[in-house]
Amino acid sequence: MEESTEDMFDYPAITVALVEEITSGAISEGERLRAAVLDAGPKRSYDDTLASLEEVGEVFGRAHGQAGFMGYVHPDEELRAAGRAAGEQLSKWLTELAFHPGLYQAVEEFSATDEAARLSGERARLLEFVRRDLRRAGHHLPARSQERVKELTGRLIELGVAFAQNIAEHEDALEVTREELEGLPEAYIDSLPLSPDCERLLRVTMDYPHVTPFMENARRRDLRRRLMSKFNSRAVGTNRPLLEEAVAIRSEIAALFGEPSWAHHRLSDRMAKTPERVEEFYELLLAPLQEAGRREIERIAEMLEADGEERPVQVWDWRYYDNRIRRTEYGVDQMEVAGYFPLEQVVEGMLDLTGEVFGLRYRPASAPVWHEDVVTYAVFDRASGERLAHFHMDLFPREGKFSHAAAFTLRGGRRLPDGSYQAPVSAIVANFTPPSGDAPALLQHSEVLTLFHEFGHILHQVLTRTELGRFSGTSTEGDFVEAPSQIMENWTWQPEVLARFAFHYRTGEPLPTEVLEKLSGAQLLNVAISKLRQAGFGLLDMALHGPDPDPDLDEILAATTEVALFPQQEGTFFPASFGHLLAGYDAGYYGYLWSEVYGDDMWRRFEEEGVTNPGVGMEYRREVLEKGGSRDAIETLRAFLGREPDNRAFLRKLGIE
């Protein structure tokens, strides 16, 4: 039986006019609430000051989820443009709110009251965070400096919107004949669109379901090089100038605050606190990872030479040879294994697993959605039967759609004045291999891992039970937010978990036990190369936002590419399509590896007490997922682990300890 969704937004009814109406309505309500705060008078209370600001966050969060979100996913370009404009307007208004001098004065007046001194829990934390936000708006700075910070911050919002739009709308493809696709399976070849200029040519587009299998299977080295060149040159003409401007703006803002760099400015409210701690983190990893990485690359180089090719190993080689080693030595052919991972079956298995471990039930819901591909589920607490949330899944690529994988909060959770709980609504957006011919959507194991990763964010968002929306779901420190998604990846490597849903879509035969074991055994194959690439991305991000006021982007790219032990591909500039740099991960990309440390440490409890142990699962749900950002991440870790967190599980996994 499908679940009712009467309280959900009617996306099929969305129009450009409605997007504009939602946006203007949110801004009008925000202005009313701001005026109420400013007019409250000297005898301030929590209700007329902080509660009103909390309500602003709720109003704008909903407007983003209804109007701004359309900029990422709606199939109509006009509506996507309206959605992007809405997101920009809403973000700018919220930014300007923090710069309002009367608001700063109002919050400071309240903070001096006896009621403020008596606040506890999330309400005390809200006061702390609002005051921090206002300090970061520069109210202590000279008037001219504060105005400049406001101007520059607004420009950063514009740059972020344009940067993402340029990536999503970039169109390019490698056009090849069928004969040039040696090594790729027929199902993949049949899925490629025809060239509009020549029926003999097929187009390998820049979508991940085209690029990843090609790089893993195409035998023609020259074609792998050409595709990688196109992929790493996406939007370079339009986005490189935007990135350069954003880096310069961030440096100027940091200087206005008297900070040595943007990284120092950004990290003060994260777990790492300082760039120096991030540097120490990388220093611990780099030497042993590079030692292991050189061994991995040397092995690939020997295979390259055996194929009659010349050294050195290039960035367009490693996925191909990694895949070949998996096939020949582990018996794992990613394209063949995909036959055992039809999407619907994987989703069902993932829901069964998380339902059992975290005490949940899921039911399909017939919701009003923005595209026919989208499916919706309702989430229930298994013990009480209470409906907790809804989430949407939009999993296939289409023109103009957000090109990566992410989880979006469309409506946050919070305690309502009548004591009831506002059920969250979230969406997972991804670009997996779509159905082709008579075959359903078949996932490579790497795509299964991505699905579980993003579903970790969904669980964090929809299982939240915080009192205040400010701390709902994934509203944690930026360098902890990936930990609840990193831990989810571990389940995709467990043979007993994969055995639950890995059945061939044609025969129904289970993935052979020996292949399950080999798939799991190959988890750490070329792990040093993989982690060094992540480290290279993080170091590039930190270098862009370091103390040099005029960084040379090409020098930084060359130096950080060397960290990953591959030569830089001449004529390319991948940071132009590195969306994280203008999507909130600036001076924060290190958080993926940083969070993995904590994800692995939390996973150690499951390893020791049972990977599907519902007792551990419920503790994890209560102490991590439900708490959101209502307390510091280090306190959340201590509560779940029962001890101080450490990096031993992470280092052991990498073979460093």
Side-chain angles (χ1 to χ4, degrees):
M1 186 177 102
E2 289 196 335
E3 186 64 22
S4 169
T5 55
E6 292 179 0
D7 62 339
M8 296 178 69
F9 183 69
D10 186 8
Y11 287 104
I14 198 77
T15 61
V16 170
L18 184 54
V19 165
E20 294 170 350
E21 180 183 329
I22 290 167
T23 305
S24 61
I27 290 172
S28 295
E29 179 63 6
E31 289 173 346
R32 185 192 70 78
L33 289 165
R34 180 181 63 190
V37 173
L38 298 176
D39 295 342
K43 293 184 178 180
R44 294 194 165 275
S45 68
Y46 175 89
D47 287 339
D48 63 31
T49 307
L50 290 186
S52 292
L53 294 177
E54 166 75 0
E55 190 62 27
V56 170
E58 169 67 16
V59 168
F60 276 68
R62 284 199 184 217
H64 269 289
Q66 295 170 0
F69 179 59
M70 293 296 94
Y72 295 94
V73 297
H74 202 279
D76 179 75
E77 165 51 25
E78 189 179 5
L79 262 162
R80 286 199 305 275
R84 289 190 295 268
E88 184 174 332
Q89 283 181 266
L90 294 166
S91 296
K92 279 188 170 181
W93 192 92
L94 284 176
T95 297
E96 290 175 0
L97 177 67
F99 285 97
H100 197 291
L103 186 65
Y104 175 73
Q105 180 181 344
V107 172
E108 289 303 297
E109 286 175 357
F110 172 68
S111 70
T113 65
D114 291 340
E115 183 185 5
R118 293 193 301 269
L119 292 177
S120 61
E122 289 186 39
R123 294 188 173 199
R125 188 173 177 84
L126 180 62
L127 176 58
E128 174 193 346
F129 275 48
V130 169
R131 295 185 75 192
R132 185 188 73 188
D133 294 344
L134 294 168
R135 286 195 301 272
R136 290 178 75 85
H139 287 283
H140 60 291
L141 298 176
R144 179 177 292 182
S145 295
Q146 187 187 0
E147 188 59 35
R148 181 62 175 159
V149 171
K150 178 181 176 181
E151 176 189 344
L152 293 172
T153 303
R155 178 58 181 158
L156 282 176
I157 293 169
E158 295 172 359
L159 293 173
V161 172
F163 197 85
Q165 176 183 349
N166 292 337
I167 296 171
E169 295 184 351
H170 179 80
E171 291 187 17
D172 197 5
L174 177 68
E175 296 198 339
V176 292
T177 65
R178 197 176 187 92
E179 292 72 30
E180 288 174 320
L181 293 169
E182 185 182 5
L184 287 150
E186 287 297 314
Y188 172 87
I189 296 172
D190 291 341
S191 73
L192 299 177
L194 292 174
S195 166
D197 301 320
C198 177
E199 290 188 0
R200 285 190 60 252
L201 297 178
L202 300 170
R203 290 172 60 83
V204 182
T205 71
M206 298 297 102
D207 291 334
Y208 282 95
H210 284 177
V211 172
T212 302
F214 190 95
M215 299 308 298
E216 291 177 343
N217 294 278
R219 292 179 188 166
R220 287 273 300 271
R221 191 186 192 198
D222 62 321
L223 295 181
R224 297 199 306 269
R225 175 185 58 77
R226 285 173 55 195
L227 182 62
M228 183 56 60
S229 178
K230 286 178 175 290
F231 190 75
N232 283 341
S233 300
R234 288 173 297 155
V236 67
T238 53
N239 274 359
R240 176 164 180 154
L242 302 187
L243 176 60
E244 291 173 341
E245 184 181 353
V247 169
I249 285 175
R250 290 163 179 162
S251 180
E252 183 178 349
I253 292 174
L256 289 167
F257 278 92
E259 297 277 13
S261 72
W262 180 255
H264 286 85
H265 185 65
R266 287 284 276 169
L267 266 63
S268 61
D269 59 0
R270 295 181 181 172
M271 292 185 76
K273 301 301 181 187
T274 68
E276 290 74 22
R277 282 199 67 194
V278 176
E279 290 169 10
E280 292 169 5
F281 172 69
Y282 280 128
E283 284 175 9
L284 173 70
L285 297 178
L286 284 183
L289 278 180
Q290 287 182 328
E291 181 182 351
R294 290 187 185 96
R295 291 194 298 270
E296 294 171 357
I297 287 175
E298 177 58 29
R299 184 179 184 198
I300 291 174
E302 292 170 359
M303 298 174 70
L304 195 68
E305 287 182 327
D307 286 345
E309 301 284 359
E310 293 184 358
R311 295 176 182 239
V313 178
Q314 302 283 357
V315 70
W316 54 86
D317 294 320
W318 80 272
R319 288 189 183 276
Y320 175 76
Y321 286 99
D322 175 87
N323 190 41
R324 202 159 95 180
I325 295 169
R326 290 176 193 273
R327 288 200 315 266
T328 57
E329 298 187 14
Y330 291 87
V332 177
D333 184 323
Q334 289 280 10
M335 299 301 284
E336 287 187 15
V337 168
Y340 293 88
F341 291 125
L343 174 63
E344 289 188 14
Q345 199 167 282
V346 174
V347 169
E348 183 178 349
M350 180 177 70
L351 299 184
D352 286 345
L353 171 73
T354 54
E356 174 186 333
V357 176
F358 302 130
L360 306 170
R361 292 193 190 281
Y362 303 92
R363 290 183 195 157
S366 181
V369 294
W370 54 91
H371 191 272
E372 61 185 10
D373 287 345
V374 180
V375 295
T376 306
Y377 288 90
V379 188
F380 296 83
D381 177 68
R382 183 173 292 201
S384 68
E386 177 190 0
R387 193 189 75 186
L388 302 175
H390 283 96
F391 66 88
H392 305 289
M393 305 182 85
D394 184 355
L395 303 181
F396 301 128
R398 57 182 176 268
E399 185 177 348
K401 179 187 167 186
F402 178 74
S403 62
H404 297 286
F408 295 83
T409 296
L410 306 182
R411 184 176 71 202
R414 62 171 185 156
R415 184 70 57 190
L416 297 173
D418 65 3
S420 64
Y421 202 80
Q422 177 171 286
V425 180
S426 287
I428 175 173
V429 178
N431 291 273
F432 296 138
T433 305
S436 176
D438 63 347
L442 302 175
L443 303 186
Q444 294 193 56
H445 183 260
S446 59
E447 293 179 304
V448 176
L449 185 147
T450 298
L451 177 64
F452 271 66
H453 177 104
E454 296 303 336
F455 196 65
H457 289 309
I458 293 291
L459 290 173
H460 204 181
Q461 292 168 0
V462 302
L463 297 183
T464 187
R465 301 299 281 183
T466 61
E467 175 191 355
L468 303 176
R470 173 64 188 260
F471 306 118
S472 174
T474 46
S475 301
T476 68
E477 291 100 317
D479 47 5
F480 180 74
V481 72
E482 295 295 331
S485 55
Q486 297 281 13
I487 191 177
M488 286 293 296
E489 296 182 15
N490 289 281
W491 274 284
T492 72
W493 296 106
Q494 307 306 309
E496 64 267 43
V497 171
L498 296 179
R500 294 173 170 221
F501 56 81
F503 298 94
H504 199 276
Y505 77 100
R506 290 193 191 277
T507 67
E509 291 293 317
L511 186 62
T513 303
E514 61 272 18
V515 178
L516 277 172
E517 292 171 351
K518 288 175 179 178
L519 183 65
S520 182
Q523 177 182 0
L524 299 185
L525 177 65
N526 293 325
V527 67
I529 292 176
S530 175
K531 299 306 177 189
L532 284 169
R533 284 174 57 75
Q534 282 290 307
F537 298 155
L539 287 165
L540 177 139
D541 172 37
M542 293 301 289
L544 288 177
H545 299 108
D548 186 345
D550 187 24
D552 186 314
L553 272 61
D554 292 304
E555 285 186 7
I556 289 172
L557 178 57
T560 53
T561 300
E562 287 178 8
V563 167
L565 306 179
F566 291 109
Q568 183 183 344
Q569 186 172 15
E570 187 176 347
T572 66
F573 188 76
F574 95 87
S577 56
F578 189 8
H580 292 76
L581 293 176
L582 274 87
Y585 279 79
D586 46 289
Y589 193 82
Y590 75 90
Y592 277 98
L593 275 180
W594 181 278
S595 293
E596 193 172 345
V597 170
Y598 298 116
D600 286 348
D601 202 18
M602 292 189 293
W603 174 250
R604 190 164 59 171
R605 273 205 66 186
F606 287 96
E607 282 186 312
E608 293 170 352
E609 301 177 48
V611 298
T612 59
N613 185 324
V616 181
M618 284 304 295
E619 279 193 63
Y620 176 75
R621 174 180 160 186
R622 301 297 186 207
E623 296 293 350
V624 180
L625 300 177
E626 292 186 359
K627 295 297 183 184
S630 63
R631 61 187 177 193
D632 288 352
I634 190 66
E635 296 301 326
T636 288
L637 287 163
R638 289 169 181 152
F640 176 64
L641 296 172
R643 56 170 171 79
E644 289 295 318
D646 62 54
N647 61 6
R648 287 184 297 166
F650 177 68
L651 297 179
R652 185 176 68 249
K653 179 182 75 175
L654 299 183
I656 291 175
E657 189 178 52

